[in-house]
């Protein structure tokens, strides 16, 4: 089985996004939020079969860990109540996708984060997503401000109530920011990669995993700058009096393969242990076009993995075993469905 650990519903029905535009418009005008529109199963089926599912089948994957559109989370927009309502609708829509295509998708929930609001307020929606909706993980935004980074680092005790719930539910969190409202940072070209790198450095600086030895994070997009500057991070760990990151961070942190060229994938696999890499494509995400140098889509990441000199055991880890280990609720789901 080939499991893609990083997919977003970027082809969601127009009515869903029209609601969000109207919701934010009403918020700006001080008006009551609109009603959520009726979205039929046929609308969802069409949006999935003609897009993600078509490409998944063409590119050889089997199951995608699926979450709401990342840039659409918009935690910096509206207020806490706005985010709660929007998040609930986003997660309910993912649940409908999973119910319609149970053998192709497993859900991951968005959280109702807002700048200046305690992450403890997101615990209820996490629990609803995992327990009630049957999801296998969540996306956690380390910067709800949308590019201004004015909240505490992930190692701060302000995050601990949420981490306690993650451990209790035995689910990982993918570190994933949303849109950027800071014009200095392009959302997908800068802000996302900054966040990946920043999260890793925060983990390196702190002692979070001493307090939460069972906590698990997935850092997407190949870890941002981490593999490329691995020597810098090892040197900084020594300078800060911390253990080598292979001991201090990697037992709890994993990286996906959303790296859109062969040399980048080659480097990722040379630097990061096989046990810490999960196959992913983020299809369809930031990069959807065809690479003129290869003639293949940039986000057809399975081709890059196939080009590596890996034995069958290592390929099994990358494409299936690692994801099932990091996402134990996914493993249980696969067993129950007989996949």
């Amino acid at each position: 089985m080939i499991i893609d650990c990083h997919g977003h519903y970027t082809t969601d029905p127009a009515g869903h996004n029209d609601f969000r535009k109207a919701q934010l418009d009403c918020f700006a005008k001080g008006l009551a939020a609109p009603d959520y529109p009726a979205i039929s199963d046929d609308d969802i089926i069409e949006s999935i079969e003609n897009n993600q599912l078509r490409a998944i089948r063409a590119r050889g994957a089997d199951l995608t860990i699926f979450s709401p559109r990342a840039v659409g989370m918009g935690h910096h927009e509206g207020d806490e109540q706005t985010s709660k309502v929007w998040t609930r609708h986003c997660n309910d829509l993912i649940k409908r996708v999973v119910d319609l295509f149970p053998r192709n998708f497993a859900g991951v929930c968005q959280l109702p984060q807002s700048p200046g609001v305690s992450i403890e307020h997101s615990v209820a929606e996490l629990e609803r997503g995992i327990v009630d909706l049957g999801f296998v993980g969540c996306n956690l935004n380390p910067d709800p401000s949308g590019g201004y980074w004015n909240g505490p680092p992930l190692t701060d005790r302000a995050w601990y109530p949420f981490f306690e719930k993650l451990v209790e539910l035995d689910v990982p969190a993918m570190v994933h920011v949303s849109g950027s409202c800071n014009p200095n940072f392009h959302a997908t070209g800068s802000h996302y990669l900054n966040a990946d790198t920043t999260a890793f450095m925060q983990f390196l600086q702190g002692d979070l995993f001493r307090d939460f030895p069972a906590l698990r994070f997935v850092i997407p997009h190949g870890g941002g700058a981490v593999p490329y500057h691995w020597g810098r991070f090892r040197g900084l760990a020594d300078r800060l009096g911390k253990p080598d990151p292979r001991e201090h961070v990697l037992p709890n942190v994993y990286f996906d393969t959303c790296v859109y060229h062969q040399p980048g994938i080659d480097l990722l696999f040379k630097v990061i242990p096989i046990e810490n890499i999960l196959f992913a494509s983020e299809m369809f995400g930031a990069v959807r076009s065809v690479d003129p140098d290869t003639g293949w889509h940039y986000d057809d990441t399975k081709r890059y993995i196939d080009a590596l000199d890996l034995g069958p055991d290592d390929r099994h880890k990358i494409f299936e075993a690692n994801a099932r280990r990091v996402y134990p609720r996914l493993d249980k789901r696969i067993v129950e469905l007989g996949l």
Side-chain angles (χ1 to χ4, degrees):
M1 173 179 288
I2 296 177
I3 300 170
D4 186 332
C5 81
H6 187 174
H8 298 297
Y9 197 3
T10 54
T11 61
D12 39 11
H16 178 69
N17 294 300
D18 290 343
F19 166 81
R20 176 59 164 174
K21 293 175 185 176
Q23 183 199 35
L24 293 177
D25 185 57
C26 288
F27 174 82
K29 295 176 180 177
L31 302 174
D35 293 331
Y36 190 75
I39 296 174
S40 69
D41 285 352
D42 286 343
D43 291 334
I44 295 173
I45 291 169
E46 181 181 5
S47 73
I48 291 291
E49 286 189 338
N50 294 333
N51 294 289
Q52 278 92 355
L53 195 55
R54 173 187 54 79
I56 287 169
R57 288 167 173 163
R59 298 178 189 183
D62 297 300
L63 186 150
T64 297
I65 299 178
F66 208 50
S67 64
R69 185 191 300 257
V71 75
M73 294 189 296
H75 294 129
H76 56 283
E77 299 181 287
D79 60 7
E80 181 181 8
Q81 182 59 26
T82 305
S83 187
K84 282 185 175 180
V85 171
W86 173 235
T87 295
R88 196 173 183 92
H89 287 309
C90 288
N91 289 337
D92 287 347
L93 192 61
I94 294 297
K95 169 62 172 173
R96 292 181 65 187
V97 172
V98 173
D99 285 348
L100 288 167
F101 300 95
R103 303 179 72 84
N104 303 110
F105 297 97
V108 160
C109 60
Q110 177 176 318
L111 299 171
Q113 297 177 247
S114 292
V117 175
S118 170
I119 189 63
E120 192 168 2
H121 293 198
S122 293
V123 169
E125 183 63 16
L126 170 68
E127 195 156 31
R128 186 181 83 94
I130 303 303
V131 177
D132 297 341
L133 303 184
F135 291 173
V136 301
C138 71
N139 287 340
L140 180 66
N141 188 347
D143 175 39
S145 74
Y148 287 99
W149 291 93
N150 51 19
L154 288 169
T155 51
D156 190 273
R157 287 187 172 272
W159 296 89
Y160 276 31
F162 188 81
F163 295 159
E164 289 168 359
K165 183 58 68 171
L166 285 177
V167 172
E168 177 189 326
L169 296 171
D170 196 20
V171 295
M174 176 173 280
V175 176
H176 210 308
V177 288
S178 184
S180 171
C181 58
N182 185 336
N184 289 295
F185 302 115
H186 182 275
T188 55
S190 176
H191 186 41
Y192 282 19
L193 304 182
N194 289 347
D196 304 333
T197 309
T198 298
F200 184 86
M201 187 62 204
Q202 289 176 359
F203 296 147
L204 184 65
Q205 287 177 272
D207 294 297
L208 177 64
F209 303 124
R210 178 191 60 196
D211 293 339
F212 294 98
L215 192 60
R216 301 184 301 281
F217 291 100
V218 178
I219 298 182
H221 318 118
V226 174
Y228 189 69
H229 286 288
W230 189 249
R232 174 180 289 256
F233 290 111
R234 291 185 64 218
L236 286 171
D238 182 64
R239 183 177 178 180
L240 293 168
K242 301 295 183 182
D244 187 288
R246 287 170 290 194
E247 305 168 18
H248 188 51
V249 179
L250 290 191
N252 303 82
V253 174
Y254 304 85
F255 302 81
D256 76 16
T257 63
C258 293
V259 179
Y260 300 132
H261 66 146
Q262 190 68 53
I265 288 290
D266 294 347
L267 177 67
L268 175 67
F269 277 75
K270 287 179 180 177
V271 173
I272 302 300
I274 290 287
E275 289 73 18
N276 290 81
I277 303 175
L278 281 64
F279 171 69
S281 68
E282 199 180 0
M283 183 183 66
F284 301 106
V287 182
R288 309 186 190 189
S289 56
V290 172
D291 183 344
D293 290 345
T294 66
W296 302 107
H297 285 87
Y298 286 103
D299 61 359
D300 187 358
T301 53
K302 183 176 179 292
R303 291 184 176 275
Y304 309 137
I305 312 303
D306 289 342
L308 297 173
D309 184 18
L310 298 176
D313 288 346
D314 285 343
R315 287 187 183 277
H316 176 65
K317 290 177 183 178
I318 296 300
F319 285 129
E320 178 180 353
N322 289 348
R324 295 178 69 162
R325 175 167 51 86
V326 175
Y327 291 85
R329 288 177 180 264
L330 173 67
D331 179 68
K332 182 180 178 182
R333 177 181 175 82
I334 290 171
V335 172
E336 290 174 347
L337 290 173
L339 299 179

